[in-house]
Amino acid sequence: MTKNTSLFQKDLMQEALKQSFVKLNPKIMFRNPVMFTVEIGTAVMFFVCLWILLGEQSQGSFAYNLIVFLVLLLTLLFANFAEAIAEARGKAQADSLRKTREETPAKKVLALGKIHSDEVEIIPSSQLKKGDLFFCEVGDIIPADGEIIEGLATIDESAITGESAPVIREAGGDKSSVTGGTKVLSDRITVKVTTEQGESFLDKMIALVEGASRQKTPNEIALTILLAGFTLVFIIVTVTLKPFADYANTPITIAAFISLFVCLIPTTIGGLLSAIGIAGMDRALRANVITKSGKAVETAGDIDVLLLDKTGTITIGNRKATNFYPANGIDEKLFIKCVVLSSFADETPEGKSIIELAKVNPLSYQVKDARFIKFTAETRSSGIDFENTRIRKGAADAIRALCQNAGNSFPQETAEAVTKISSNGGTPLVVSENEKVIGVIELQDIIKPGIQERFERLRKMGIKTVMVTGDNPLTAKFIAEKAGVDDFIAEAKPEDKMNYIKKEQAAGRLVAMMGDGTNDAPALAQADVGVAMNSGTQAAKEAGNMVDLDNDPTKLIEVVEIGKQLLMTRGTLTTFSIANDVAKYFAIIPALFIVAIPSLQDLNIMNLHSPESAILSAVIFNAIIIPMLIPLALKGVSYKPIGASALLRRNLLIYGLGGVIIPFIGIKAIDVLVSVFI
C-alpha cells in the first residue's frame, strides 16, 4: 500500500486542482449548504459585473466588483481543493490496491457432488464463487479471500499492510484467514473462498479509501445542520440591513451585501468540514487500520471503556516456565521426568519452555505404546498414557477434581504453592501421576515494557481499561495491578465479554474491544468500536467495524487517539471559524455606515483605509484563511491526554482567542496593501 506521508504530492495536487473546478457543479455544492450559498453569491457577482459593463453606474467600479467576484470564486476553489486533496490521497491508495487486485489465475479444486477430488482447473480469480476450494503453492498469488482448511504457509502481505516481514497462516485457530492479492512464500495451502465477487476485502478497501462508501457521520450531520442554521440567520441579518441603509440614506452596493454575508457565515469550517472527515479516515488508514465507516473513527474518539486481551497485548505473548515445585516426598528427577513426558507432544510455546527449563532431552526417556492426550477447553489438561502410567498436566482445579474423584487428596504444600504462584502473577500447572499430585510448574507472564505508561495515558483521556484473561482471579489481579489497568475479567468465557460490554453500555458508556477469533465475533459486533485482526477469522472481520492490518493488539489505543484527534480538529476549527467572524464584522459594518453615521467611527478599531478596501480586505482574508488551514485539517490538531477540561481551555485560548486576534491583524495587513491600489 502506498504510504507517502507528504501532504501535497505533485500528482495529487494536479488531480485536486482539476477536481476543484469539477466540484463547482451546483449538484455537488448543494451537499454543503454554507459553500452553496457562497456559490450563489459568486454567481450574482458575475451578473453584477456584466450589468456594470452594460452601463450600470450605482454599483461601483467594474474593477472593484470584478475583484470581489474573483475572490469569492477563489474562496469556492480553495474549499473544493481542501476536500479534493483529501480525496486524492485516498484515490492514490485505491490505485495501489487495484494493482494488488489484478486478475490472478486460481487453481480451483474440482467438486464431484459434495466431494472434492484431486483434480484441478485453472480459472481466472473473477470466476471463483463463495464456497469454492483452491490451493496455492510457493510463489502463487492468493486469488481470493478465504479460510485455510488444510496446511500452513508463510505469506507476504506487504501489498496490503505495507509490512515486508512475512507472516504464518495455518488451518484451524484464529490465524486461518488469507486475503486476495497476497503472496505465498512457502509450503502449500488449501483455501475455501469466503466472499462473493465484488465483496472482497480489497474491494471494500478500495471503495472506502476512494470515498465511495463515505457517509457523513452523526456529528458531521449535526454540525452541517448547525452551520446551515447560522447561514440562514445571517441571510436574514444581511437582508434586513437594506431598510436600515435606506433609512440612513446610505446606498449599499450588491457587492457589499454579498461580501458581508460571505464574511459573516462560517465559510472556514464550511470549506474544511468534508476534508476533516475524509482526513480522519485517511489517518486511520495510514495507521494500517481499515474503517468500515467514518462513524467508527468518530465513535472511537468518544470511547469510555476499552477491553483488551492479556496475552499478546499486555504481556509478551507466550508464558515461560520459571520453576518446578515437587510435592513432599516426590523425587525431583521423577517429577522432571513426568513433566517432560507430559510436555513431549505439547507444541505450544509454554510446553517447549517447560522442556527447556528441565534441560532434558525427551528422547532419553524410553516409553512404549505412548498415547498423547491433547489439551481441551473442557478438561483443561493434557498429558500422556503409556504402559500402566497416566500423567496429566493442567489447571489446578482440573487436576484437583481428577485426583479427588479417584479418591486421592490434594497435598497442602501444592495448594500453597498454587496460591503463591498465582499471587505473584504466575500461572500454576499442576502435574499428576496415576491421579496422584506430584508437583506444580510455575509459568510467568512478561509484561510489555512501557505498557503501564500507555494505560496511564488512556486514564488521562478518561478511558477505563479492562483486561480480559482466562487466568485465575489471583493471577489476573496481580497482572492487572502491575500493568496498571483499571479492571479485569478473570477466567473469561466469550459470553463474559458480551455481558460486560452490555453492562457498560446499559450505564451509558461507549465500549471498544479487539478480537481475532470466531468466538470474539458476538462481542465485536456488540461493542461500539470493534477492531478485528486481519489475521483473524472471517467471522471476526465481518463482525467488527474496523480491521487492523498489522495484527497489533495495542492498535486500539492508537485508534482512540485518532478518533479524539478527529473530533478535536472539527471542534477547534469550528471555534476558529466562528471566532474570526467577529473581526470581519468590525471590518465591514463600520465601513458601510461610517459616512452616513459618523458616530460608528468608534467601532472602526482597525482604522481601515476606505469602505472599498475594508470589504476587499475582509473577503480576501476570508478566502486565503481556508488554504492556510488545509494542512491542519489534513494532519489534525495535536492531541495531548490532559483531560477534557484542560483541552477545552487550551483550544479556546488558541483557536477561540486566536480566531479573534488573527483576522484583525490579517485584515489590517491586507488593507495596507490594498489601499496602495485604490
Side-chain angles (χ1 to χ4, degrees), residues 4 6-18 81 85 88-89 92:
N4 194 329
S6 173
L7 288 178
F8 302 107
Q9 300 162 45
K10 186 179 178 180
D11 54 337
L12 300 188
M13 289 280 287
Q14 291 173 348
E15 178 62 22
L17 285 169
K18 177 186 170 184
F81 179 79
I85 193 70
R89 283 157 65 85

Side-chain angles (χ1 to χ4, degrees), residues 421-612:
I421 293 166
S422 299
S423 301
N424 291 330
T427 301
L429 288 181
V430 178
V431 183
S432 70
E433 183 185 34
N434 294 334
E435 291 76 47
K436 290 182 181 177
V437 174
I438 59 173
V440 62
I441 307 164
E442 180 179 8
L443 300 176
Q444 279 290 348
D445 284 296
I446 302 166
I447 292 173
K448 285 183 177 180
I451 199 73
Q452 295 95 333
E453 288 76 12
R454 299 198 77 173
F455 288 136
E456 182 59 33
R457 186 177 175 90
L458 286 167
R459 198 170 289 110
K460 288 178 179 176
M461 292 182 197
I463 296 170
K464 177 184 177 183
T465 50
V466 182
M467 181 184 80
V468 182
T469 177
D471 291 341
N472 64 72
L474 277 173
T475 302
K477 185 173 184 288
F478 180 89
I479 293 174
E481 288 175 352
K482 197 171 178 183
V485 296
D486 301 307
D487 198 4
F488 64 89
I489 307 171
E491 298 177 344
K493 302 178 188 68
E495 59 267 25
D496 294 335
K497 296 179 188 177
M498 175 73 84
N499 293 335
Y500 193 95
I501 292 169
K502 285 181 177 178
K503 184 185 78 174
E504 293 291 340
Q505 288 172 334
R509 300 183 186 95
L510 296 179
V511 183
M513 74 162 283
M514 288 198 78
D516 57 3
T518 301
N519 64 345
D520 292 323
L524 284 169
Q526 181 65 36
D528 299 286
V529 176
V531 184
M533 304 284 195
N534 188 42
S535 63
T537 62
Q538 192 67 26
K541 289 196 282 188
E542 287 177 1
N545 47 25
M546 293 188 187
V547 178
D548 175 26
L549 300 178
D550 293 331
N551 308 302
D552 177 6
T554 63
K555 186 63 69 66
L556 196 49
I557 299 171
E558 290 180 49
V559 170
V560 168
E561 292 195 358
I562 290 168
K564 287 191 175 295
Q565 192 183 33
L566 169 63
L567 293 173
M568 275 180 53
T569 303
R570 192 181 292 146
T572 51
L573 289 183
T574 300
T575 302
F576 181 88
S577 178
I578 294 170
N580 70 36
D581 289 340
V582 175
K584 288 176 280 188
Y585 174 89
F586 278 98
I588 295 178
I589 291 293
L592 292 177
F593 294 99
I594 203 163
V595 175
I597 310 173
S599 57
L600 287 177
Q601 183 65 42
D602 293 337
L603 293 177
N604 190 22
I605 55 181
M606 282 187 267
N607 197 26
L608 301 179
H609 179 261
S610 68
E612 288 81 10

